[in-house]
Amino acid sequence: MPSDSSTTASPYAKPLPKPTPLTQPFWDLAREGRLAVQACRSCGDRHFPASPVCPECLSTDQEWQVVSGRGTLVSWVEFHRAYWDGFKADLPYRVCLVQLEEGPLLYSNLVGADAGEGRVGRPVSVVFEKVTETVTLPKFVLA
Amino acid sequence: MMSDFQDLKNMVAVVGVGTTRYGSFPETDEYGLGAEAFGKAIADCGLDKSQIDGLLVNRIPSYARMGEVLGIDPRWTITLPAHGRMSGMAIIEATAALATGRAKYAALIYANIGRSRRVNYGGDESPNIWDPWGMTSPGAAHAMMFQRHMAMYGTTTRQLAEVSVAIRHNAGLNPDAVMRKPITIDDHEEARRIAAPLGLLDYCLITDGAVCLILTTAERARDLKKPPVLVSGVGGRDRFRQSALGTFDLDFWHGPIRESGEESYRMAGVARDDVDVLMSYDNFSPTVLFSLEGLGFCPRGESGRFVEGGTLKVGGRLPTNTDGGHLSNSYMQGWALNVEAVRQVRGECGDRQVPGCEVAQYIAATVCTRSIIYTRG
Ligand SMILES: [Zn+2]
């Protein structure tokens, strides 16, 4: 797995996140090796992806809360088709759906030597992969 | 004053249907295809185009250009985006508009030029926040759901194959279907994987083509060429709370499908067992399994067993997608299935006709789930 494209001649060829003012804190925290979800200061609801208002109470008073990085494997698939050229070398690659201990669901990649042993319901934990100087992607391994 | 939608039972009918050929037609565009379907639909019901005073377009870029091409100036116009879930929604909204006098005769036109334009439903043409992880395409979201269904209920890919095999069988009885060569369970198992556990034969076709339905009130329908097919019951539930995950639901939309189905049966005054033919949105084969469970044709988790042995074939226990559906007929995003429901109730389906068909149901299980019951007028 490429971990840092800045040391190689070829540029990172996979899609990169397009941070907005709303999502920038998520990427800043990821670069520091921390996984965060949005939390509502009014009602406590935790949600992901980021929302301009709390989907439970509509409050705009929200913050980013660092979470445990532990979760459950809700499902996963194995891509045999690359919709971007940058993924061709990785085929087949695994995308997982994780439910964090704190509640929110998110898609990511299931990585690690034992990723093939993934089963629905298995505990997983976050790892961080620096893909460019500015972007670090949270991914998951079997816990 | 009208206050309950259920009062619209049998007030509106489908009176004309038109479909183009399906395939690859780079020489034309949405307007050319839409106009062809429209011409066939008005010929089917015997109306003159000047009588059409309602226009609904779906997946057609400009409603004004469509109206210009058809040479009509309606008084009710709606445009809907290029999502498969829109077909059922369109028919329901047109029913409400006609029943309340917004228009007398509405043409609902859908056109798709996606094959010629090489649309592939993933990657940069439909960007989303999960792109950095390579999560893209509705097929992958359905593969996520089916993986879960396998883990929770022991459903197998060989059982899933029964959906594709039966619908391909039905396509073989439809001279207009794009894919008619029979397939076997082994063919399904050996097909190229796309987003495993799903493979090529679990995916809908991508075709160019167009569909038009003409709707009017049941009263006006009596004077037209063909026997009317009534919109007898409709139901719907939307589930937007986790729509960031795409066309995915942790619970396989079980609640929305059940509630939409029950609402439509209640309105139509029919029972589930009265359904003679089912049109089940089959963008991907698992969607059919989720629909069967949600509607209660089998208990939760047992759809894999339910479809074994050709249940969904014409001649089977529950003939489903008798035209070949999205998997084998054409990718008309629910519209062709609604036309097939009308043709079955009319008794126009030739080799694939379900004998004595009186009640047809359309179900689209998705983020916006819709059920429609059609009966003989
Ligand atoms: Zn809140």
Side-chain angles (χ1 to χ4, degrees):
Chain A
M1 279 254 166
S3 58
D4 186 348
S5 65
S6 65
T7 60
T8 65
S10 59
Y12 184 73
K14 290 172 185 160
L16 286 167
K18 300 177 182 70
T20 64
L22 193 61
T23 63
Q24 187 64 52
F26 174 86
W27 295 108
D28 291 343
L29 288 162
R31 211 163 52 227
E32 298 166 12
R34 294 191 286 171
L35 182 66
V37 299
Q38 216 181 18
C40 174
R41 286 200 189 96
S42 294
C43 76
D45 185 63
R46 296 191 188 94
H47 40 266
F48 190 84
S51 173
V53 300
C54 170
E56 282 300 317
C57 74
L58 304 182
S59 168
T60 53
D61 190 11
Q62 301 193 82
E63 63 182 352
W64 284 90
Q65 215 171 67
V66 173
V67 292
S68 65
R70 290 187 298 269
T72 304
L73 188 59
V74 171
S75 195
W76 84 102
V77 300
E78 196 176 70
F79 273 80
H80 289 255
R81 172 177 175 184
Y83 289 83
W84 293 273
D85 288 347
F87 278 99
K88 273 185 183 161
D90 292 357
L91 292 179
Y93 67 92
R94 281 190 186 83
V95 174
C96 58
L97 177 60
V98 170
Q99 181 150 37
L100 299 173
E101 268 182 6
E102 293 81 3
L105 290 151
L106 71 164
Y107 289 125
S108 182
N109 295 123
L110 187 63
V111 296
D114 59 353
E117 289 156 43
R119 299 288 176 268
V120 169
R122 286 273 309 251
V124 291
S125 59
V126 73
V127 294
F128 292 90
E129 196 174 299
K130 184 179 177 185
V131 298
T132 72
E133 274 310 300
T134 53
V135 175
T136 295
L137 296 179
K139 298 193 173 182
F140 286 82
V141 293
L142 294 174
Chain B
M1 186 174 158
M2 180 84 60
S3 60
D4 188 348
F5 197 78
Q6 304 248 332
D7 294 341
L8 301 189
K9 171 187 176 180
N10 294 341
M11 281 186 68
V12 169
V14 182
V15 292
V17 295
T19 49
T20 63
R21 285 175 306 129
Y22 305 123
S24 181
F25 310 120
E27 69 282 7
T28 185
D29 61 11
E30 287 94 339
Y31 304 102
L33 292 166
E36 182 188 340
F38 175 80
K40 288 179 170 173
I42 58 169
D44 186 52
C45 59
L47 282 170
D48 185 89
K49 78 179 170 77
S50 64
Q51 293 171 277
I52 302 295
D53 60 352
L55 176 65
L56 182 150
V57 298
N58 182 203
R59 210 188 176 99
I60 292 172
S62 163
Y63 50 87
R65 174 68 180 152
M66 191 73 252
E68 180 182 34
V69 165
L70 300 179
I72 58 171
D73 290 316
R75 58 186 177 134
W76 176 82
T77 298
I78 285 186
T79 187
L80 293 171
H83 303 156
R85 63 196 65 154
M86 294 294 157
S87 49
M89 298 167 85
I91 291 163
I92 293 169
E93 295 318 311
T95 297
L98 290 158
T100 51
R102 292 290 296 113
K104 291 190 170 75
Y105 301 96
L108 283 50
I109 310 176
Y110 169 89
N112 191 336
I113 194 82
R115 176 147 196 112
S116 298
R117 301 289 186 273
R118 308 189 67 78
V119 173
N120 60 26
Y121 296 90
D124 284 333
E125 72 180 48
S126 51
N128 76 70
I129 57 164
W130 315 110
D131 292 351
W133 296 275
M135 177 58 188
T136 187
S137 81
H142 284 78
M144 285 273 177
M145 279 191 284
F146 187 64
Q147 181 93 275
R148 241 177 112 61
H149 202 275
M150 290 197 295
M152 291 169 68
Y153 303 115
T155 315
T156 66
T157 55
R158 292 188 75 82
Q159 290 174 326
L160 183 64
E162 296 271 4
V163 173
S164 305
V165 169
I167 291 176
R168 177 64 63 86
H169 167 86
N170 297 345
L173 303 172
N174 176 9
D176 299 326
V178 169
M179 302 291 277
R180 305 184 61 212
K181 191 176 153 232
I183 53 170
T184 64
I185 290 174
D186 286 336
D187 291 336
H188 174 272
E189 295 297 280
E190 289 155 19
R192 170 167 64 86
R193 295 299 95 185
I194 299 177
L198 300 190
L200 185 65
L201 296 179
D202 297 305
Y203 276 61
C204 55
L205 310 175
I206 295 178
T207 55
D208 299 339
V211 176
C212 177
L213 279 79
I214 310 282
L215 275 66
T216 189
T217 58
E219 208 177 306
R220 290 189 194 96
R222 286 193 216 114
D223 306 327
L224 298 173
K225 218 160 107 184
K226 297 262 178 86
V229 174
L230 300 172
V231 177
S232 298
V234 302
R237 293 289 186 280
D238 302 335
R239 188 167 275 192
F240 294 140
R241 278 181 179 244
Q242 278 167 349
S243 53
L245 299 176
T247 317
F248 175 91
D249 186 67
L250 270 180
D251 202 33
F252 318 106
W253 297 295
H254 192 269
I257 301 167
R258 191 188 65 239
E259 289 164 19
S260 301
E262 283 172 355
E263 194 169 69
S264 64
Y265 297 140
R266 193 164 57 241
M267 176 170 162
V270 303
R272 181 179 56 236
D273 291 343
D274 296 331
V275 173
D276 296 307
V277 64
L278 180 67
M279 302 299 158
S280 179
Y281 199 86
D282 55 342
N283 47 354
F284 305 97
S285 53
T287 312
V288 176
L289 298 185
F290 307 152
S291 300
L292 294 169
E293 292 182 12
L295 292 174
F297 284 103
C298 60
R300 285 208 76 165
E302 291 186 20
S303 56
R305 269 187 297 278
F306 179 77
V307 297
E308 281 177 342
T311 304
L312 307 182
K313 288 181 180 173
V314 172
R317 186 145 55 106
L318 181 63
T320 297
N321 299 0
T322 49
D323 64 342
H326 300 75
L327 293 171
S328 291
N329 177 33
S330 68
Y331 186 58
M332 295 293 108
Q333 296 194 291
W335 288 96
L337 285 178
N338 280 283
V339 167
E340 179 72 358
V342 169
R343 289 178 173 154
Q344 283 286 352
V345 172
R346 284 179 175 176
E348 292 181 334
C349 287
D351 290 346
R352 65 183 193 279
Q353 180 64 44
V354 173
C357 180
E358 292 182 348
V359 179
Q361 179 174 16
Y362 170 76
I363 181 74
T366 179
V367 173
C368 301
T369 293
R370 293 294 182 274
S371 171
I372 303 176
I373 305 291
Y374 295 99
T375 68
R376 251 186 226 176

